[in-house]
Amino acid sequence: MPDDPPLLEARSLVKHYKVGAFAGRLRAPVKAVDGVDLTLKQGSTLGLVGESGCGKSTLARLLMALDRPTSGTVRVEGRDLLGLSSAELRRRRRDIQLVMQDPYTSLDPRMTALEIVREPLDIHRDLMPKQDRATRARELLEMVGLDPGHAHRHPHQFSGGQRQRLGIARALALRPKILVCDEPVSALDVSVQAQVINLLKELQREFGLSYVFIAHDLAVVRHVADEVAVMYLGRIVEHGDRDTVYSRPAHAYTRALLSAVPDPDPRRRNTTGRIVLQGDPPSPTRPPTGCAFHTRCWKSQEICAGQRPEPAATRADVLRQVSCHFPEN
Ligand code: ADP
Ligand code: MG
């Protein structure tokens, strides 16, 4: 029997933003996402990591068909999202829900917790008769560890962690298969981060959910991801299973990001040393030629500026892909 198509798959995905003319001349587009391939497996978590501005949120919007790619495809269970009729797209959108970073801005302050969680059911009103929706909303609140007795509170009456739980309950209302979590814990204190991450893991086990989990640092992703993709200036520079990427990073950029993460194993702590990257990432309007990381890479040689490295397996691990002329491991 042929394998089932992957749950979610992006191929050669590109999003260039045209930002209008300046002084009568057309400006170069912002290359927010510039050729991304990725696959999300059923029941697993793909961690997507990279500095602010590297294109993570743009990629998230493309995966959810909230934005049209400049080119490339997104398939959900083998179906190309771009080819769907609007009714089919509406149906498909229920399967993929977004959890955003900042529940302060993503939750309507005038609505109660119950209304916030019930709203998706009111919008997709063919799913459930009206009288059942409030019951389901209360169940959802309980499912994410909120007190259903607080159903009539407004967002500002909850803590940051509770608001994020509310955002998760809302995202789960339509029984999605996939959650795209865009920096879901970046605005929270470390102790609260752990609670929200544990909740996401429990929900995943209980409902067989699959996650794309976005973060700007590798520390958070270590606790959730099965696979990790590292993004730099609109491209994935390294991708592999979590343990491989964390224990034997092959791309210099991954090494630099990892060197900023405290190692949980005290025997390894401080043996590798911190790599401090020079300068900010270059502008995605004019990414460097060749390997986009070469302007900040301590291993850079002539070929790095002249030729873009294509993703390739490393010798030690055929499943790990790295885009570098001089990979480690
Ligand atoms: P991240 O989520 O990794 O911080 P984003 O996807 O938000 O990155 O942004 C990637 C790049 O695209 C940034 O340079 C950002 O300024 C630019 N960008 C994002 N959205 C738009 C837009 N709607 N129009 C123009 N540029 C955008
Ligand atoms: Mg973002």
Side-chain angles (χ1 to χ4, degrees):
M1 236 175 60
D3 285 343
D4 286 340
L7 184 58
L8 178 67
E9 185 181 38
R11 287 288 163 261
S12 311
L13 210 51
V14 172
K15 181 69 185 180
H16 290 178
Y17 290 110
K18 294 194 180 70
V19 282
F22 176 69
R25 292 172 56 183
L26 228 53
R27 280 203 257 187
V30 178
K31 297 177 175 177
V33 171
D34 205 21
V36 164
D37 291 287
L38 59 80
T39 304
L40 177 65
K41 296 186 191 107
Q42 161 62 36
S44 79
T45 299
L46 173 66
L48 187 66
V49 181
E51 281 162 296
S52 176
C54 73
K56 304 182 295 296
S57 296
T58 302
L59 179 55
R61 285 197 301 275
L62 295 176
L63 293 177
M64 305 193 57
L66 292 174
D67 226 345
R68 264 187 100 81
T70 305
S71 61
T73 55
V74 177
R75 288 197 177 86
V76 178
E77 294 175 321
R79 299 286 309 272
D80 186 343
L81 287 181
L82 283 177
L84 299 181
S85 69
S86 58
E88 285 172 315
L89 188 59
R90 191 176 139 86
R91 163 78 198 76
R92 274 288 172 196
R93 280 218 177 102
R94 297 208 301 252
D95 292 341
I96 316 179
Q97 294 291 322
L98 183 64
V99 176
M100 288 199 277
Q101 169 175 0
D102 192 355
Y104 294 74
T105 53
S106 60
L107 303 177
D108 187 334
R110 292 160 307 181
M111 288 167 81
T112 66
L114 187 89
E115 288 166 343
I116 286 168
V117 175
R118 199 187 57 199
E119 192 180 43
L121 298 166
D122 292 335
I123 294 171
H124 294 261
R125 57 176 185 268
D126 50 321
L127 287 182
M128 190 179 283
K130 192 168 183 193
Q131 63 270 24
D132 295 343
R133 290 178 209 150
T135 313
R136 167 81 177 139
R138 282 204 170 74
E139 269 171 30
L140 284 159
L141 291 176
E142 225 165 333
M143 216 153 81
V144 299
L146 290 172
D147 181 350
H150 295 167
H152 296 290
R153 292 191 176 180
H154 292 269
H156 73 269
Q157 292 170 291
F158 292 99
S159 69
Q162 287 173 328
R163 267 195 292 257
Q164 196 50 287
R165 287 172 192 265
L166 203 51
I168 293 168
R170 180 184 160 94
L172 292 175
L174 302 174
R175 304 183 193 276
K177 296 175 180 171
I178 302 169
L179 288 191
V180 176
C181 305
D182 191 356
E183 311 230 20
V185 300
S186 300
L188 304 174
D189 293 341
V190 173
S191 60
V192 182
Q193 285 187 352
Q195 292 164 14
V196 172
I197 284 174
N198 287 336
L199 170 67
L200 285 169
K201 285 163 87 168
E202 282 166 30
L203 294 168
Q204 180 167 53
R205 271 195 298 274
E206 197 169 335
F207 301 108
L209 292 163
S210 310
Y211 296 149
V212 176
F213 189 101
I214 298 174
H216 59 256
D217 73 277
L218 276 160
V220 170
V221 162
R222 171 177 262 152
H223 302 289
V224 277
D226 302 298
E227 289 178 32
V228 178
V230 180
M231 222 174 150
Y232 190 76
L233 280 182
R235 298 175 72 89
I236 289 171
V237 296
E238 177 160 7
H239 176 200
D241 76 67
R242 178 199 43 194
D243 292 338
T244 309
V245 172
Y246 279 80
S247 60
R248 290 179 284 113
H251 198 285
Y253 181 58
T254 314
R255 268 188 66 197
L257 287 183
L258 262 179
S259 78
V261 175
D263 195 319
D265 182 348
R267 287 165 304 179
R268 282 199 307 255
R269 221 169 272 167
N270 292 328
T271 53
T272 43
R274 174 101 193 244
I275 301 163
V276 180
L277 287 177
Q278 301 301 311
D280 293 325
S283 160
T285 307
R286 295 189 187 287
T289 58
C291 169
F293 187 61
H294 86 264
T295 54
R296 299 165 90 194
C297 185
W298 58 96
K299 297 197 296 186
S300 178
Q301 314 231 351
E302 213 177 303
I303 185 176
C304 303
Q307 193 181 320
R308 178 142 82 192
E310 291 305 321
T314 54
R315 249 180 311 151
D317 191 334
V318 290
L319 294 177
R320 185 241 306 267
Q321 296 273 312
V322 58
S323 305
C324 176
H325 291 298
F326 305 102
E328 316 257 333
N329 305 299

